[in-house]
Amino acid sequence: MAEETILESTDRTSGREALRKNVQAAIALAGAVRTTLGPKGLDKLLIDDEGRTLVTNDGVTVLETAKVEHPVARMVINASSTQDRVARDGTTSTVVICAEMLRNAWQLVRQGIHPATIARGFAQSESFALKLLDEMTITATTEQMYSAVETSLSGKMERRVQARLSKLALEASERITTEQRTDPTRVKIIRQNGGSAVDAELVIGLAIPKTRVHSEMLECGGPGSILLVDGGLEKRSPMLGAKLSITSTGMLDAFRAAEVKAVMKQVENLKSIGCDILVVKEGIDDEARQALADAGILAYRRVENTDLELLARACNTSLIHDIGRATKEDLGVFISTREELKGGTNYWILTSEDDAATLIARGSSTEVLGEVERCFGDALGVACQLQEDPQLLPGGGATQVALARAVRRHAETIPGREQMAMEAWADGLEVIPRALAQNAGLDPIESLLKLTAAQSEGGVMIGLDLDTGTPSDTVSRGVLEPVKITRQAISGATEAAISILRIDDVLWAQMDAQVPDDIQQQLAGMGPE
Ligand code: ADP
Ligand code: MG
């Protein structure tokens, strides 16, 4: 059956037929991303309804952008989205492994083995394999952490860009780690049009594309205190003033004078509470700028909400509304302030106790900037995970082959039909080295056999070298991955496969394709188990 038509079937199907269609849907879906797997994977060009294009090598991006309505395909996509949320990487692997396990399960069903038995065998294999994973991990050195971040980006962008973004992501993650806890949202990303993607830059502190409101203000300084205002430092316009009936020009002048005085009073207050930097969301009047400069207060205006929030967090304070009533308690603290010209844009850079960092992404087009931002985000996610848990596993198919071999040996000790299911599960995992080899233009079966043989001689750290096609030590080549990614990919794929095996009656057209969880609930207990 052609893959396109599989995703469109809307008949009521039951039992074995339902499973066959579900397995085919998962295989069709995996087929859409399998060719992107690994450093030699291909890019996909995606086009949305409005004709906008996106070139990506990222499995989850491909799947989330495609409008897939098939409920089972959605279950697999959801597993991949969970993978993205939890581990930031391994999304393609999840889909490809899940589909391969289902393909193998289908072969067993055809031989008369009940899907429930297969599901049990899969669950047993999963828990056995996950325990083994812990014995295989190595604790990362800083150098290896860098390698792992770079491995997670491999194939996504040009090599030099990958290397640059990996280095910056690791630096940023170090900066934002406190007591083993990291928070990637502390890294701000600015997209600066122009330049090349390799010119991406990491600024320690918060960078905001702003220039101080008066050139006489001192641009460098600190430490000191900062006031953040959800408003401005401006005279009220007489036109907006409450019910003002102007009968002479003298009155207007008097009004203006009073307004200026009110503004000056606010500056006086800032001075008296010891404010060094004033940041406002709205404007600052000319008179006020001069007065602020005279009072030795550095000021920035028209600062965006998102930046104000970041400043508030960085300086451990909150926004106020009325400058005239501000007190010492409203002030936040900063360590240093300066301005710097970067790529033609002037940045105000503030550092504080609360470690923040800013990535200035560069690129010649919105597409490139988008890809840089996505890749950096993924790299940062992986780097942050490593700061919290620096445990690594070998990549290049090594972990999957090692687990598959161990599960097969373990399966021999299981007398029931689950034994066959466990072998099917192990074969399913090996889709990773096969697909990696295939995408690199190597013979997939030969590569897998060579790798298996090499591991039985030289141990579990041996994986595929996709440049030469020969198995080699992943540790010395730096092809390493955080344990969380591999673990989550294996368990996410297995669990999605088990859910699909448990569905045996589906009424496509009448179900909400967007809510696969509901389908699972509705169908629970309907089967012959
Ligand atoms: P995913 O979305 O699953 O992360 P990727 O396209 O990022 O898919 O590919 C990840 C796979 O590529 C992993 O199995 C990883 O071990 C492998 N890989 C990455 N870099 C290399 C490399 N230099 N040599 C061999 N395998 C690699
Ligand atoms: Mg990846």
Side-chain angles (χ1 to χ4, degrees), residues 319-522:
L319 272 71
I320 59 140
H321 295 278
D322 187 350
I323 299 178
R325 286 207 212 126
T327 64
K328 277 194 163 65
E329 280 70 48
D330 296 321
L331 294 169
V333 286
F334 67 92
I335 293 176
S336 77
T337 182
R338 67 177 199 279
E339 285 186 11
E340 218 171 283
L341 196 64
K342 289 176 182 295
T345 303
N346 196 59
Y347 287 97
W348 167 37
I349 299 165
L350 188 89
T351 66
S352 68
E353 284 280 337
D354 183 293
D355 304 320
T358 309
L359 180 88
I360 303 179
R362 297 224 168 78
S364 50
S365 67
T366 329
E367 284 80 20
V368 173
L369 284 169
E371 201 63 2
V372 169
E373 186 173 342
R374 253 194 309 282
C375 284
F376 179 79
D378 289 350
L380 182 65
V382 172
C384 286
Q385 263 176 46
L386 287 172
Q387 299 291 351
E388 288 175 9
D389 180 19
Q391 298 299 315
L392 299 176
L393 284 168
T399 301
Q400 290 79 9
V401 166
L403 292 182
R405 294 176 59 229
V407 167
R408 274 194 211 101
R409 281 197 300 270
H410 178 61
E412 288 170 9
T413 67
I414 310 285
R417 291 174 168 217
E418 284 84 358
Q419 182 186 126
M420 291 170 84
M422 293 176 83
E423 279 161 5
W425 187 88
D427 293 346
L429 267 194
E430 286 175 341
V431 71
I432 296 298
R434 281 194 281 120
L436 286 174
Q438 192 165 20
N439 290 347
L442 302 165
D443 184 285
I445 295 179
E446 195 187 318
S447 303
L448 176 59
L449 293 174
K450 271 205 250 173
L451 177 54
T452 307
Q455 278 207 357
S456 76
E457 287 271 301
V460 299
M461 290 297 175
I462 297 182
L464 285 179
D465 180 337
L466 300 172
D467 291 319
T468 62
T470 49
S472 71
D473 181 37
T474 53
V475 180
S476 60
R477 281 195 300 126
V479 180
L480 298 163
E481 290 171 308
V483 63
K484 195 170 173 184
I485 294 173
T486 314
R487 170 183 283 273
Q488 176 67 32
I490 292 172
S491 64
T494 308
E495 272 143 40
I498 290 175
S499 305
I500 292 165
L501 283 173
R502 289 193 191 284
I503 302 175
D504 55 17
D505 187 78
V506 181
L507 197 60
W508 296 127
Q510 292 177 20
M511 299 217 179
D512 184 358
Q514 300 304 314
V515 198
D517 286 351
D518 285 0
I519 297 169
Q520 273 173 273
Q521 274 167 17
Q522 287 170 33

Side-chain angles (χ1 to χ4, degrees), residues 36-39 89-93 151 154 156 395-396 436 464 466 479 481:
T36 71
L37 186 80
D89 197 13
T91 54
T92 313
S93 302
T151 301
S154 67
K156 301 265 182 283
L436 286 174
L464 285 179
L466 300 172
V479 180
E481 290 171 308

Side-chain angles (χ1 to χ4, degrees), residues 97-144:
I97 294 173
C98 178
E100 194 68 11
M101 286 178 176
L102 284 171
R103 185 203 299 270
N104 297 344
W106 174 244
Q107 295 305 328
L108 295 183
V109 171
R110 287 182 54 193
Q111 291 170 41
I113 299 180
H114 196 278
T117 310
I118 304 173
R120 270 200 306 277
F122 278 13
Q124 275 173 287
S125 309
E126 181 197 358
S127 62
F128 178 80
L130 293 185
K131 272 186 231 123
L132 276 185
L133 272 190
D134 294 332
E135 292 165 24
M136 280 177 66
T137 58
I138 56 170
T139 303
T141 61
T142 310
E143 181 68 19
Q144 286 170 339

Side-chain angles (χ1 to χ4, degrees), residues 175 186-192 201-211 300 303-304 306-308 310-311 314 336-342 345-352 354-362:
R175 171 81 187 158
R186 288 193 189 288
V187 183
K188 177 186 165 179
I189 301 179
I190 297 179
R191 293 173 172 215
Q192 198 183 74
E201 198 176 336
L202 188 76
V203 177
I204 297 303
L206 206 54
I208 299 174
K210 286 278 159 202
T211 305
Y300 294 91
V303 174
E304 284 177 17
T306 46
D307 283 328
L308 283 167
L310 290 172
L311 283 166
S336 77
T337 182
R338 67 177 199 279
E339 285 186 11
E340 218 171 283
L341 196 64
K342 289 176 182 295
T345 303
N346 196 59
Y347 287 97
W348 167 37
I349 299 165
L350 188 89
T351 66
S352 68
D354 183 293
D355 304 320
T358 309
L359 180 88
I360 303 179
R362 297 224 168 78

